[in-house]
């Protein structure tokens, strides 16, 4: 796929992103950085429960999602791959220490296309979290 078409798809995917959380936390250490041109989703920071949905996975590329959190509790993350329910990654829990963000990267694999989403359940409304989804070229 041409870079311009991929960029348009990434911007379209970003425009479709829906994040519902308790709101932005105060300015603190950045949880998760900008993913660059390989990024499909960037949730820079939310607090409490939330998640994202999007489309635009390119079946010819690997897909990875990274979550980061901080705040003295945990987040539980579950996934939904619209066209691949047999490949939904297992839900997981990430411990969110106080002061220093924890991160985890989950490979979703190749051959994925269509819509996808993640739901985040925080152990406390003050837990800060962020996420990126990338498809490296």
């Amino acid at each position: 796929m041409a870079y311009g078409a991929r960029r348009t798809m990434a911007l379209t995917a970003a425009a479709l992103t829906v994040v519902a959380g308790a709101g932005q936390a105060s300015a603190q250490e950045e949880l998760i950085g900008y993913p660059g041109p390989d990024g499909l989703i960037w949730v820079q920071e939310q607090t409490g429960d939330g998640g994202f949905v999007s489309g635009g996975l390119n079946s010819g590329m690997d897909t990875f999602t990274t979550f980061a959190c901080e705040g003295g509790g945990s987040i539980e993350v579950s996934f939904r791959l619209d066209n691949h329910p047999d490949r939904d990654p297992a839900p997981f829990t990430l411990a969110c220490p106080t002061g220093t963000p924890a991160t985890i990267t989950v490979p979703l694999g190749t051959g994925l296309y269509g819509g996808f989403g993640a739901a985040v359940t925080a152990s406390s409304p003050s837990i800060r979290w962020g996420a990126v989804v990338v498809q490296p070229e």
Side-chain angles (χ1 to χ4, degrees):
M1 176 182 294
Y3 176 76
R6 178 143 195 264
R7 182 76 155 155
T8 301
M9 182 171 41
L11 292 174
T12 301
L16 295 174
T17 302
V18 176
V19 178
Q24 297 289 75
S26 61
Q28 298 174 16
E29 180 181 345
E30 180 176 72
L31 286 174
I32 198 156
Y34 175 66
D38 294 331
L40 297 176
I41 297 287
W42 180 33
V43 179
Q44 187 174 9
E45 181 177 320
Q46 288 292 302
T47 57
D49 296 345
F52 56 82
V53 296
S54 188
L57 291 174
N58 180 336
S59 64
M61 298 179 167
D62 281 335
T63 304
F64 299 90
T65 183
T66 301
F67 287 84
C69 66
E70 185 274 332
S74 64
I75 59 171
E76 188 174 309
V77 179
S78 61
F79 293 91
R80 185 192 79 256
L81 301 169
D82 292 347
N83 296 326
H84 309 279
D86 58 319
R87 290 182 56 188
D88 286 346
F92 65 87
T93 299
L94 178 61
C96 308
T98 300
T100 302
T103 63
I104 186 170
T105 297
V106 177
L108 299 180
T110 59
L112 302 174
Y113 63 92
F116 65 100
V120 175
T121 304
S123 63
S124 162
S126 64
I127 298 295
R128 299 170 55 223
W129 65 271
V132 297
V133 177
V134 297
Q135 288 192 304
E137 289 192 43

